[in-house]
Amino acid sequence: MSYVDGFVIAVPTANKQKFIDHASTFDPLFLEYGATRVVECWGDDVPAGKQTDFQRAVHATADETVVFSWVEWPDKATRDGAVKKMMEDPRMDPKENPMPFDGMRMIFGGFSPVLILGD
């Protein structure tokens, strides 16, 4: 059964290209370590909620855009092995590829799909 890691972050809107450049450098590591797909989505229609919403979840400010991303893995075992390898990979060093956003406000988690429709 496949496995999915999901991420939500707030990126300064002015850093959109820096974010794309960062992801273009960082995301291939997921594929190298076994991911089958990586998707980065720039917020376009992210409405405010009455009780909670994406902006509040990551404490986004007026000058930030919410980004929703996910990584698809063939299974949890592949993902767990990849995470261990990535944490030991010197290319993950933030000095080499600094994040153009506040990583402390990132929310993330691993998920086991219960229904998949389409491709």
Side-chain angles (χ1 to χ4, degrees):
M1 174 62 86
S2 63
Y3 198 77
V4 177
D5 282 318
F7 308 87
V8 180
I9 57 176
V11 177
T13 303
N15 284 357
K16 183 177 182 179
Q17 189 58 51
K18 286 181 184 177
F19 171 77
I20 293 168
D21 294 344
H22 176 273
S24 295
T25 300
F26 182 79
D27 290 0
L29 293 175
F30 289 116
L31 298 173
E32 180 180 329
Y33 287 120
T36 57
R37 186 173 181 208
V38 180
V39 179
E40 302 283 1
C41 303
W42 191 259
D44 179 72
D45 182 14
V46 185
K50 291 185 180 184
Q51 289 189 328
T52 190
D53 55 41
F54 281 108
Q55 288 91 353
R56 281 184 256 183
V58 293
H59 299 284
T61 63
D63 64 338
E64 293 177 319
T65 299
V66 174
V67 172
F68 175 59
S69 308
W70 69 91
V71 180
E72 297 175 9
W73 302 94
D75 51 53
K76 188 173 188 301
T78 301
R79 177 267 203 166
D80 290 348
V83 169
K84 184 178 184 313
K85 290 175 187 174
M86 289 176 72
M87 291 300 117
E88 297 169 354
D89 191 316
R91 296 173 291 176
M92 293 279 298
D93 186 343
K95 293 175 193 158
E96 297 298 317
N97 189 20
M99 294 185 290
F101 55 87
D102 180 1
M104 296 297 292
R105 293 186 285 146
M106 177 190 315
I107 60 172
F108 58 91
F111 301 86
S112 296
V114 295
L115 176 66
I116 299 174
L117 302 174
D119 290 336

